[in-house]
């Protein structure tokens, strides 16, 4: 791609003897090195389609699966799931070798693009980053730390909240410390499995003896239901642990909670966080549980709003906002709960950058709450522009 064709911030046009301020520039960063790469690209396509181009300039930046920051086409129509296949950044990149470099000096927000053998080209300043990465190396505080160092505002949770929201163990520890109800769980750390598998299995056996089968075996720091297995006995345990460890060396084991799956969105408004109407994830007929394919490929529809009593709705909304505050979140969160058979809400996890396509549950919940998709995107950008980087 020739340097003269690279996207740059438009020059302001003189009007009535004065120059209007340029529109804020939003860098939408997506893709990444995690196993949720493809879903991140799908999310980015929806966000790019929704951003008000009369209000913002947009710079799409994709991170390839091997970590290269690539200048990509602003082509939302190419960022959809097609024939049950998720898209990837490499197919959208303008060059197989060119790279985008964000500023590291807080006094300079100039983004630079370079290709081997070519003079680096300035792409203009970035006013705010909209990171729509899911999973490790993006949603877990790593990208947020880079942006804090750069002094560039960004959408969503900060470093600590992102890290806590990605790690299911420490998320549950924080919830417990704030008095939020969590289900039974057990953590198998990397060294525990690598040094003594027999002892690790014995701990799982004791856990199963106390809480019963089936158990859910999960990567501790992954999302989109990737790497999760439901096991009914010891026969499938080793295979399930191997699958979870393929995505994360730390594994979390959770007991089955019998009840209804309820989700609730939280959004930062000018006066603080508010909760959406909740949604219910009904039992999935073609799937044993709400796995990756049920979420994204077969698009199992949720029920929005959830058929709850007014008292149940108020309680889950209260707990969702408490979870948002307990983890020091900013911008947005989707909080996932179980409504158990004895009528209690138990929080399963939060997601600091939930699935964000128009058919995803988070936007659907806000749509039914009176905030449409385009307004939702705009509110998140505005909230990010209001915040400073650094301690706050």
């Amino acid at each position: 791609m020739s340097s003269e064709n690279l996207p740059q911030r438009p020059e302001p046009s003189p009007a009535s003897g004065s120059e209007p301020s340029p529109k804020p520039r939003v860098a939408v960063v997506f893709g990444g090195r995690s196993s949720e790469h493809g879903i991140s690209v799908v999310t980015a396509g929806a966000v790019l389609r929704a951003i008000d181009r009369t209000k913002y300039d947009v710079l799409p930046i994709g991170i390839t699966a091997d970590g290269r920051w690539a200048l990509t086409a602003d082509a939302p129509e190419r960022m959809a799931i097609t024939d049950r296949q998720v898209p990837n950044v490499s197919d959208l990149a303008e060059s197989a070798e060119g790279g985008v470099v964000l500023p590291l000096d807080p006094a300079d927000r100039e983004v630079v693009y370079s290709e081997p053998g070519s003079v680096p080209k300035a792409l203009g300043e970035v006013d705010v980053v909209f990171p729509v990465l899911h999973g490790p190396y993006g949603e877990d505080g790593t990208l947020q730390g880079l942006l804090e160092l750069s002094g560039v505002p960004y959408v969503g949770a900060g470093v600590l909240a992102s890290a806590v929201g990605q790690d299911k163990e420490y998320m549950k520890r924080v919830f417990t410390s704030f008095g939020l109800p969590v289900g039974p769980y057990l953590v198998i750390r990397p060294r525990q499995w690598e040094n003594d598998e027999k002892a690790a299995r014995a701990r799982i056996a004791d856990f199963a003896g106390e809480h019963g089968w089936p158990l859910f075996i999960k990567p501790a720091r992954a999302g989109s239901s990737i790497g999760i297995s439901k096991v009914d006995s010891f026969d499938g345990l080793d295979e399930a642990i191997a699958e979870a460890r393929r995505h994360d060396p730390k594994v979390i084991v959770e007991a089955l909670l019998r009840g209804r799956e309820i989700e609730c969105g939280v959004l930062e408004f000018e006066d603080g966080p508010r909760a959406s109407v909740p949604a219910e994830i009904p039992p999935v007929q073609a799937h044993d549980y709400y796995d990756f394919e049920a979420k994204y490929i077969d698009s199992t529809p949720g029920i929005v709003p959830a058929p709850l009593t007014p008292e149940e709705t108020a309680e889950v909304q209260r707990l969702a906002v408490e979870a948002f505050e307990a983890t020091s979140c900013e911008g947005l969160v989707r909080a996932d709960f179980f409504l158990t058979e004895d009528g209690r809400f138990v929080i399963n996890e939060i997601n600091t950058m939930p699935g964000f396509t128009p058919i995803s549950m988070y936007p659907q919940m806000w749509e039914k709450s009176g905030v449409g998709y385009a307004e939702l995107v705009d509110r998140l950008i505005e909230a990010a522009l209001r915040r400073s980087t650094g301690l706050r």
Side-chain angles (χ1 to χ4, degrees):
M1 182 178 183
S2 63
S3 60
E4 58 268 21
N5 292 328
L6 294 174
Q8 301 177 52
R9 182 192 293 275
E11 293 295 328
S13 302
S16 304
S18 64
E19 294 186 352
S21 299
K23 293 180 288 186
R25 187 172 233 201
V26 182
V28 178
V29 180
F30 59 96
R33 294 163 54 191
S34 83
S35 52
E36 298 176 76
H37 176 103
I39 294 304
S40 173
V41 178
V42 175
T43 296
V47 170
L48 287 169
R49 191 177 290 110
I51 291 179
D52 184 351
R53 304 306 177 99
T54 68
K55 188 174 181 180
Y56 303 106
D57 289 327
V58 178
L59 179 66
I61 299 173
I63 302 177
T64 63
D66 60 3
R68 178 173 63 91
W69 289 52
L71 188 67
T72 67
D74 186 0
E77 69 279 359
R78 294 170 55 193
M79 301 182 182
I81 295 174
T82 305
D83 297 328
R84 303 177 69 85
Q85 298 297 313
V86 292
N88 66 79
V89 168
S90 295
D91 291 339
L92 297 161
E94 298 285 2
S95 164
E97 296 182 303
V100 174
V101 180
L102 291 182
L104 293 178
D105 181 352
D108 177 16
R109 293 184 179 176
E110 193 85 41
V111 176
V112 174
Y113 177 82
S114 63
E115 292 190 57
S118 300
V119 176
K121 179 69 175 179
L123 301 182
E125 294 185 350
V126 166
D127 298 288
V128 62
V129 170
F130 199 134
V132 292
L133 296 111
H134 302 305
Y137 312 110
E139 190 184 351
D140 59 350
T142 50
L143 176 62
Q144 290 74 16
L146 172 63
L147 295 172
E148 292 285 354
L149 288 172
S150 302
V152 179
Y154 53 93
V155 169
V159 176
L160 174 66
S162 296
V164 169
Q166 188 65 44
D167 191 312
K168 293 177 176 61
E169 175 193 359
Y170 288 101
M171 181 196 310
K172 292 177 188 292
R173 289 181 181 273
V174 169
F175 290 157
T176 301
S177 72
F178 277 83
L180 292 164
V182 303
Y185 70 96
L186 170 72
V187 175
I188 303 295
R189 299 179 182 278
R191 281 194 295 272
Q192 292 172 333
W193 184 256
E194 292 158 6
N195 294 344
D196 195 341
E197 291 184 15
K198 183 178 179 180
R201 287 192 194 91
R203 291 182 62 213
I204 297 173
D206 290 342
F207 184 80
E210 182 178 358
H211 301 288
W213 300 92
L215 300 177
F216 288 90
I217 313 298
K218 303 180 178 182
R221 294 162 291 192
S224 295
S225 297
I226 290 174
I228 295 178
S229 302
K230 179 183 177 184
V231 294
D232 297 307
S233 69
F234 273 107
D235 290 343
L237 183 61
D238 282 5
E239 183 179 353
I241 290 176
E243 173 60 17
R245 283 175 52 83
R246 197 165 64 85
H247 302 277
D248 185 350
K250 184 163 76 166
V251 173
I252 190 165
V253 181
E254 294 178 350
L256 173 68
L257 291 175
R258 299 187 185 280
R260 299 159 61 188
E261 291 190 50
I262 306 294
E263 298 183 347
C264 190
V266 180
L267 178 64
E268 181 182 345
F269 286 75
E270 290 82 358
D271 60 351
R274 301 182 199 172
S276 70
V277 300
E280 179 169 4
I281 308 300
V284 185
Q285 299 302 319
H287 299 264
D288 198 24
Y289 58 95
Y290 196 43
D291 60 7
F292 177 86
E293 291 206 350
K295 284 183 178 180
Y296 297 109
I297 304 300
D298 295 331
S299 300
T300 303
I303 303 170
V304 190
L308 300 171
T309 67
E311 294 76 17
E312 289 170 337
T313 295
E315 176 66 1
V316 76
Q317 289 174 325
R318 180 186 70 81
L319 290 170
V321 172
E322 283 195 12
F324 182 96
E325 298 282 36
T327 48
S328 299
C329 280
E330 295 168 295
L332 73 163
V333 147
R334 192 194 71 228
D336 301 345
F337 298 86
F338 291 102
L339 177 54
T340 62
E341 293 176 341
D342 60 359
R344 296 180 304 116
F345 281 105
V346 176
I347 188 165
N348 184 38
E349 63 184 42
I350 59 169
N351 197 312
T352 58
M353 183 49 69
F356 210 81
T357 70
I359 66 169
S360 298
M361 295 310 300
Y362 184 85
Q364 285 191 58
M365 288 186 286
W366 279 108
E367 179 78 36
K368 294 294 186 180
S369 304
V371 181
Y373 192 88
E375 181 185 350
L376 185 58
V377 169
D378 190 67
R379 281 189 173 278
L380 288 169
I381 295 171
E382 290 286 356
L385 288 168
R386 286 195 302 270
R387 291 195 302 266
S388 62
T389 54
L391 298 178
R392 53 189 181 274

